[in-house]
Amino acid sequence: MNESSLTDLLSDLLLGAVHYYSSIDSTNAQALRLAQGGAPHLTLVVADEQTAGRGRSKRRWFTLRGSALAFSLVLRPESLLSAADLVGQGGGSSVFTRLTAAGALAVVTALEKVFGLEAEIKWPNDVLVGGRKLAGVLVEADWLGQEMSTAVLGIGINVARGSEPPAVELLFPATSVESALGRSVDRWILLHAVTASLLDWLHRLESPEFLQAWEARLAYREQPVRVLREGGAALEGELLGLEEDGALRLRLPTGAVMRVPAGDVHLRPAGVDNQENRE
Ligand code: BT5
């Protein structure tokens, strides 16, 4: 792949610009740098390999050369959201949650459409197939004072068999599109489909059908889960669904219903994994 073939492949999508790197530290980092230099809304940054791919809270994301998809979209929030959503870290956090969900929904709907592969969203930012992590989403932003000037929506997808990192690097099991399908696939066709689907969901970020589609694909719905919050006690309860702002609705063993805002939160089926804090 090179930049001009990729630009051709994606030419039917209304993107701001397309940048391709055979190797880069992180597409999110590069997208933020390009945005600081004035890159327009919907600039897409794609890399074959990431040498310092990142997850939430400085965790690592592995993208092996020739086998996966790693890409980031530059978003100018004023082109996407109502003014009230742009101001202040409070409003910002629900914007982050929704953008993250848009990334996960884009992966899930593209996998369904292109390969008939059923995937689920492990709230807040993972895509699972058969209970294993196949993709992750990371949204980062630059702020001008209280106002979000740029958001960068990054998606990493394991495509080829063997693109999953070695198990010792992981506490949650991983998979890839090819392992799940049992056949080889063209990762660039998947990139096109996920990007098209992402653009579509971004247009409907504030619509009721966005929340419905997201909730319908939530993993562990109506099942017992553990929620681990950074610096907080673990919560156990039944996963009921989503609040309007994308927070998780959980029924505690006492019967009380609690909302859990997204953030650095880990979700697990209850009683499965006790070492989640390392992920
Ligand atoms: C995420 O964080 O899952 C967000 C991943 C976002 C990656 C994309 S790639 C394009 C863009 N550029 C970047 O630099 N990042 C974005 P989190 O929920 O914190 O999960 C991180 C954890 O996932 C790690 O600690 C590992 O345990 C696990 N992990 C790392 N690489 C993985 C992989 N390829 N497949 C499955 N799990 C992985």
Side-chain angles (χ1 to χ4, degrees):
M1 185 49 74
N2 58 45
E3 197 161 286
S4 93
S5 313
L6 189 63
T7 306
D8 281 353
L9 174 82
L10 302 172
S11 60
D12 62 321
L13 305 178
L14 291 174
L15 293 168
V18 175
H19 296 271
Y20 176 78
Y21 303 88
S22 56
S23 182
I24 194 105
D25 52 353
S26 144
T27 57
N28 264 27
Q30 180 63 4
L32 284 166
R33 288 189 289 262
L34 289 168
Q36 278 158 10
H41 183 55
L42 304 182
T43 293
L44 185 70
V45 178
V46 182
D48 184 36
E49 174 192 54
Q50 293 189 115
T51 54
R54 53 203 198 199
R56 295 173 302 157
S57 296
K58 305 207 166 90
R59 283 184 290 271
R60 292 166 72 196
W61 181 262
F62 298 89
T63 306
L64 299 183
R65 180 186 297 274
S67 67
L69 285 172
F71 56 101
S72 304
L73 195 61
V74 172
L75 302 171
R76 300 295 185 183
E78 70 275 11
S79 308
L80 279 180
L81 299 156
S82 49
D85 280 335
L86 299 176
V87 183
Q89 305 283 339
S93 72
S94 91
V95 173
F96 268 76
T97 311
R98 254 174 207 258
L99 290 176
T100 305
L105 255 182
V107 176
V108 169
T109 47
L111 289 172
E112 279 169 9
K113 192 169 163 191
V114 182
F115 303 122
L117 190 60
E118 207 174 294
E120 295 179 305
I121 299 174
K122 181 162 83 67
W123 184 91
N125 70 319
D126 294 338
V127 175
L128 305 184
V129 172
R132 294 172 164 264
K133 182 161 169 174
L134 176 136
V137 180
L138 178 66
V139 176
E140 297 178 284
D142 259 348
W143 298 81
L144 258 182
Q146 284 282 88
E147 195 156 315
M148 196 190 289
S149 60
T150 306
V152 160
L153 195 168
I155 300 181
I157 309 176
N158 300 328
V159 183
R161 217 179 258 280
S163 58
E164 307 91 331
V168 296
E169 302 283 357
L170 307 170
L171 280 158
F172 198 86
T175 191
S176 62
V177 178
E178 290 191 355
S179 309
L181 279 176
R183 65 175 173 90
S184 56
V185 301
D186 182 334
R187 66 190 154 127
W188 305 115
I189 290 178
L190 182 60
L191 174 69
H192 183 283
V194 176
T195 309
S197 174
L198 180 57
L199 296 178
D200 190 36
W201 286 119
L202 287 173
H203 280 123
R204 294 188 279 159
L205 263 191
E206 290 169 301
S207 68
E209 70 261 24
F210 179 85
L211 198 71
Q212 280 158 18
W214 179 11
E215 192 166 48
R217 288 161 175 93
L218 274 188
Y220 316 128
R221 198 135 171 238
E222 292 169 14
Q223 291 175 33
V225 292
R226 299 186 74 205
V227 181
L228 292 125
R229 296 172 296 173
E230 195 74 2
L235 289 170
E236 296 216 3
E238 181 189 347
L239 195 162
L240 297 178
L242 294 171
E243 298 282 320
E244 201 140 320
D245 65 353
L248 202 64
R249 208 164 56 244
L250 205 64
R251 191 190 343 257
L252 302 177
T254 58
V257 174
M258 182 176 174
R259 64 188 298 284
V260 185
D264 198 17
V265 168
H266 300 279
L267 187 65
R268 295 290 183 275
V272 164
D273 181 356
N274 291 314
Q275 303 178 65
E276 303 86 342
N277 284 318
R278 273 181 51 211
E279 190 198 350

